[in-house]
Amino acid sequence: MTVTPSRHAEISGAGFAGLTAAIALARRGWSVRVHERADQLREQGAGIVLWHNTLKVLEDFGLIDEINAGSMTPPFYETRVQNKIVSDEGMPGIWWRTMTRPFLHSVLAGAARREGVEIVAGSEVVGATEEGVIRLASGAELEADLVVGADGVGSSVRDSLGIDYERQRSRDGISRFLVPRRKADLQKIEPGTDWDNMIDFWNFDPRVLRVLYTPANDRELYLALMAPADDVEGSAVPIDLDVWTSIHPQLTPVLEEAAKVEGKYFGYQTTRLEEWTRGRVALVGDAAHAMCPALAQGGGCAMANAYTLAQAASDAPLSELPDALVEWERLERPYTDRCQTRSQHYADTRGMSQGNQFVGENNETTLYDPTDPHRHDVA
Ligand code: 5PR
């Protein structure tokens, strides 16, 4: 590991991308400050699936025991159409874990603090310059060798630099909830099912309403409810319990739980930037490459790219850091570009309903190892 103690990074955003960049930089000897706009440092989201690409990063950070203790691997990734099973994927050889977002966030925030990262809540970064200066909402300016914009799909860091982007939208969208497992009650309705699988329940007739059922640990279930944006009742939050239970009656106990929870409907979209870096500033996560969640790689790409960004920035002489960032984007971005394209395709075609999707080129991102120093070697 290269130790470069005189380097300083300012990071905007204490989500998964920002915290991963912070940990990876601090472990390479940087002093790191992370600014979080929210008054409290916590993750609002529901559940997440992590694959090999992210788990390798967490393993490098020494966090796998902690992750394993609060997460699970469902036996199968099952897909059903009109409640008929169309595939049960055991995914041999693929390392994957399901968990809640608040849990992953607390593991990363704890690790960042142990690595000496300063995390400032209630601190909003409103802009950055390519020379490496960030501007706070308070008017204060702070200088850094590297600025990381991990400030989400509405990134102020990106927009202050005038980096152009395209946004592609899809007709469907999703609302997400964390609810109690209610396994015993689900088993009363469908006794033959052990309810530990991840199950993607699609219904097209009489109505396009999909429930992605993801056990996150012994106690908590992550539910993602998909509906077309133009379905006013289907996309309403709090959810319309009668509509959802009429289409997915076997899930009534957990849909009742979801109906009690606040949430928000998000339309599927992909954001593609003209460039991910400008001078001493690099963008990661949804600020750079927001994607449709079909292949469950938004967080994975965010964390993998944050990790490789820290590597690239640490390996370069400070005077050459802007060039090193350009080279980082050249090497790493194509994986994310392809993942965005595939995920948008599945969102547009509703193709995940066919099952057996976790094979072949769809696993390119999943199986990527950002910690492998030889990953870009030409065979
Ligand atoms: N897969 C996962 C997921 O959380 C969602 C989707 C697919 C793990 C929703 O966020 O296609 O919407 C999806």
Side-chain angles (χ1 to χ4, degrees):
M1 200 169 295
T2 37
V3 177
T4 48
S6 57
R7 297 177 171 213
H8 178 67
E10 297 280 349
I11 299 180
S12 176
F16 300 141
L19 290 175
T20 301
I23 297 167
L25 288 165
R27 285 167 58 79
R28 285 171 175 73
W30 293 64
S31 71
V32 183
R33 180 157 43 215
V34 182
H35 301 266
E36 171 54 47
R37 172 171 69 171
D39 286 331
Q40 277 176 16
L41 188 68
R42 72 187 160 94
E43 166 66 34
Q44 316 260 358
I48 190 164
V49 181
L50 299 187
W51 309 86
H52 188 90
N53 55 337
T54 327
L55 294 166
K56 289 303 279 184
V57 170
L58 294 169
E59 183 177 60
D60 180 68
F61 291 167
L63 297 174
I64 285 300
D65 289 345
E66 204 180 333
I67 289 290
N68 283 348
S71 65
M72 63 182 276
T73 302
F76 289 94
Y77 190 114
E78 182 168 313
T79 305
R80 301 190 190 187
V81 177
Q82 314 288 135
N83 210 29
K84 293 256 169 353
I85 297 174
V86 297
S87 76
D88 262 322
E89 297 178 74
M91 299 191 281
I94 296 182
W95 188 15
W96 66 298
R97 305 287 298 178
T98 60
M99 67 201 73
T100 74
R101 283 177 178 257
F103 167 72
L104 176 60
H105 192 269
S106 74
V107 171
L108 290 172
R113 290 202 177 93
R114 287 196 300 277
E115 299 290 351
V117 171
E118 182 189 353
I119 307 178
V120 194
S123 178
E124 183 179 358
V125 176
V126 295
T129 69
E130 53 192 280
E131 292 77 27
V133 176
I134 59 165
R135 217 164 358 95
L136 304 181
S138 66
E141 295 197 339
L142 297 167
E143 259 179 65
D145 300 301
L146 170 69
V147 171
V148 180
D151 49 349
V153 69
S155 176
S156 302
V157 171
R158 175 193 66 211
D159 295 345
S160 72
L161 289 164
I163 295 179
D164 219 357
Y165 59 85
E166 276 176 15
R167 190 158 286 159
Q168 187 179 356
R169 293 180 198 277
S170 211
R171 69 190 141 162
D172 296 329
I174 201 125
S175 33
R176 303 167 168 115
F177 307 91
L178 274 186
V179 299
R181 294 279 308 261
R182 302 279 305 265
K183 243 174 100 163
D185 296 315
L186 291 166
Q187 258 153 358
K188 280 182 206 145
I189 298 172
E190 217 182 78
T193 299
D194 75 9
W195 295 101
D196 281 340
N197 285 351
M198 186 162 171
I199 312 177
D200 198 355
F201 291 90
W202 287 83
N203 203 304
F204 294 98
D205 182 25
R207 187 165 190 158
V208 177
L209 288 180
R210 166 194 181 200
V211 179
L212 184 65
Y213 169 104
T214 307
N217 56 48
D218 292 348
R219 294 163 291 111
E220 294 164 289
L221 172 69
Y222 161 40
L223 283 181
L225 307 191
M226 190 198 95
D230 66 7
D231 180 343
V232 175
E233 292 169 318
S235 60
V237 183
I239 65 165
D240 186 323
L241 188 58
D242 290 341
V243 167
W244 282 93
T245 55
S246 72
I247 302 295
H248 294 283
Q250 71 281 23
L251 294 172
T252 298
V254 291
L255 290 170
E256 282 170 358
E257 298 288 346
K260 299 178 199 164
V261 189
E262 287 295 315
K264 188 176 177 320
Y265 176 87
F266 293 92
Y268 288 151
Q269 58 95 351
T270 303
T271 302
R272 295 183 179 86
L273 273 55
E274 71 182 313
E275 60 206 2
W276 286 2
T277 81
R278 202 43 92 69
R280 295 190 168 273
V281 184
L283 301 162
V284 278
D286 285 350
H289 47 73
M291 67 178 72
C292 297
L295 292 170
Q297 278 297 348
C301 287
M303 292 173 66
N305 290 330
Y307 180 90
T308 58
L309 165 64
Q311 274 176 337
S314 301
D315 290 346
L318 274 185
S319 59
E320 290 165 29
L321 193 124
D323 291 337
L325 298 183
V326 170
E327 178 64 3
W328 161 74
E329 177 178 347
R330 189 186 71 79
L331 287 172
E332 301 294 337
R333 179 169 176 165
Y335 296 91
T336 297
D337 285 346
R338 290 192 289 271
C339 189
Q340 284 185 301
T341 300
R342 290 177 189 127
S343 300
Q344 177 79 38
H345 168 79
Y346 282 118
D348 289 342
T349 60
R350 298 171 175 159
M352 298 303 286
S353 60
Q354 286 160 34
N356 293 308
Q357 311 290 324
F358 293 98
V359 291
E361 66 167 31
N362 283 349
N363 287 340
E364 182 190 41
T365 318
T366 300
L367 297 177
Y368 191 62
D369 182 358
T371 69
D372 176 2
H374 300 295
R375 67 190 181 283
H376 298 299
D377 291 358
V378 181

